[in-house]
Amino acid sequence: MIAFGLIALIAGAASALMFASIISGALISLVLFYLAPLPLMVAAIGWGPLCASLGGIAAAIGLGALFGLPYCIAFAVTVALPAWWLGHLVLLGRQVGSVGPDASAAEPEIEWYPVGRILLWIAGFAALTTIAALLTLGTDAETITGTLRRGLMRLLRTTDPQTSGEASQFVDALVRIAPAAATIVAMMTLTLNLWLSAKVTATSGRLRRPWPDMKTAELPPMTLVALCIALAFCFTGGLLAIVAQITTAALMMGYALTGFAVLHTLTLTLKSRTFWLGSTYAVVVVFGWPVIAMVILGLADAVFGFRERFLRSRQPPPLPTP
């Protein structure tokens, strides 16, 4: 029990230090800030969600005592809560098949929580943290966009005092895409943290579930309906439109990740598969905008079932009946 508590405190202290490093303003602190959920996620997956919750509570209290209540709330919402809940979902499973005295002596088969649903939760946390961050700037659309614009203009004048009208138009464009861009960053960093924490626990032998087949990851069918509704609300205006844009960006990034899963499946028969996959990842990382192709591929698979058709075509034909 003492070792369990020490692991919780160490994970919480590491996450808190990485989160608070952003105050220094150093460039490396930005990387540490985005990786802040990693220690708590490792604790959640390797030692259980209770370990992460204890570490997260201790870290939030410590940050609140040192830097004030806003830091405590921000850490709890953006770091501790996602780390605890996502770690819980990774370990969530249920027995399938016959259970009871008549069941076979073999180990019962366990159905683990699907990767696609975990992706949907990641999208939800990305949207929640982005909305919470924007609400600290104001409670209506005009105040939020005005605060963002003033902050960006102040930053631009610091680097170049001779700002022109073109710079003002550029800032206006940045303000319009800032909520969606922040959501995409939150989505990708949460996904990266969860993947890294699962890899760390798998390498150390503490991952209690088998490594999932990422090629099978798919979002629940109702996600497409939610995306269509969010897209419709993007044109309403006001705070509701900003929330809808954030939700749309998070769900589209979820479909982009499933698009990569589709790509991994459809290239199984290619001899130069590694080259094409590596080139695709490199192009997306370097340029960014080609991720739209992955979103389209993920959406197309959700509608037309490309992976299911491809895998069905690769199955051997049934044996003829005698």
Side-chain angles (χ1 to χ4, degrees):
M1 191 65 185
I2 296 176
F4 182 87
L6 283 175
I7 290 169
L9 290 176
I10 291 170
S15 287
L17 287 172
M18 294 166 76
F19 180 83
S21 67
I22 197 68
I23 300 174
S24 68
L27 186 59
I28 189 63
S29 67
L30 189 61
V31 178
L32 294 174
F33 175 79
Y34 282 124
L35 292 176
L38 183 59
L40 286 176
M41 282 186 179
V42 171
I45 298 174
W47 286 268
L50 178 60
C51 184
S53 62
L54 292 176
I57 292 171
I61 293 173
L63 285 172
L66 291 174
F67 303 107
L69 184 61
Y71 278 86
C72 173
I73 296 174
F75 179 85
V77 173
T78 63
V79 177
L81 179 62
W84 164 72
W85 184 246
L86 293 175
H88 165 70
L89 294 180
V90 167
L91 301 179
L92 190 62
R94 62 182 180 183
Q95 293 184 0
V96 294
S98 57
V99 178
D102 298 330
S104 63
E107 278 190 31
E109 185 180 353
I110 298 179
E111 181 184 8
W112 297 99
Y113 198 75
V115 175
R117 292 184 180 272
I118 294 177
L119 276 179
L120 190 60
W121 276 103
I122 291 175
F125 278 121
L128 173 65
T129 55
T130 307
I131 292 170
L134 289 180
L135 287 178
T136 61
L137 305 179
T139 55
D140 59 89
E142 291 184 2
T143 304
I144 292 172
T145 55
T147 306
L148 280 174
R149 191 179 189 283
R150 286 192 296 272
L152 289 172
M153 286 297 295
R154 193 181 305 116
L155 181 64
L156 195 62
R157 289 194 184 98
T158 303
T159 56
D160 182 16
Q162 302 296 328
T163 54
S164 60
E166 292 182 0
S168 179
Q169 294 176 0
F170 175 70
V171 168
D172 289 337
L174 284 180
V175 168
R176 284 194 290 269
I177 67 172
T183 307
I184 292 171
V185 171
M187 177 84 180
M188 297 310 298
T189 53
L190 266 180
T191 305
L192 177 63
N193 278 305
L194 187 61
W195 183 83
L196 285 174
S197 59
K199 276 294 183 183
V200 169
T201 51
T203 303
S204 63
R206 297 199 64 91
L207 184 62
R208 281 177 271 172
R209 67 176 286 174
W211 191 262
D213 184 5
M214 298 299 183
K215 297 192 298 296
T216 62
E218 59 179 359
L219 296 175
M222 287 303 294
T223 308
L224 194 58
V225 178
L227 177 60
C228 293
I229 295 173
L231 275 171
F233 279 108
C234 287
F235 301 96
T236 56
L239 185 61
L240 181 60
I242 294 177
V243 172
Q245 290 166 12
I246 291 171
T247 306
T248 301
L251 294 179
M252 281 191 171
M253 283 308 300
Y255 277 110
L257 293 173
T258 59
F260 281 108
V262 176
L263 187 66
H264 276 262
T265 302
L266 299 183
T267 56
L268 283 173
T269 56
L270 293 180
K271 292 182 179 180
S272 55
R273 180 171 182 261
T274 304
F275 169 76
W276 288 112
L277 289 176
S279 300
T280 303
Y281 279 105
V283 169
V284 170
V285 170
V286 172
F287 297 102
W289 63 264
V291 76
I292 297 173
M294 293 298 102
V295 175
I296 295 172
L297 186 58
L299 288 170
D301 178 72
V303 176
F304 301 108
F306 289 150
R307 275 181 292 184
E308 184 180 352
R309 295 184 184 184
F310 175 79
L311 294 174
R312 195 187 305 130
S313 68
R314 296 190 67 211
Q315 293 177 353
L319 295 174
T321 55

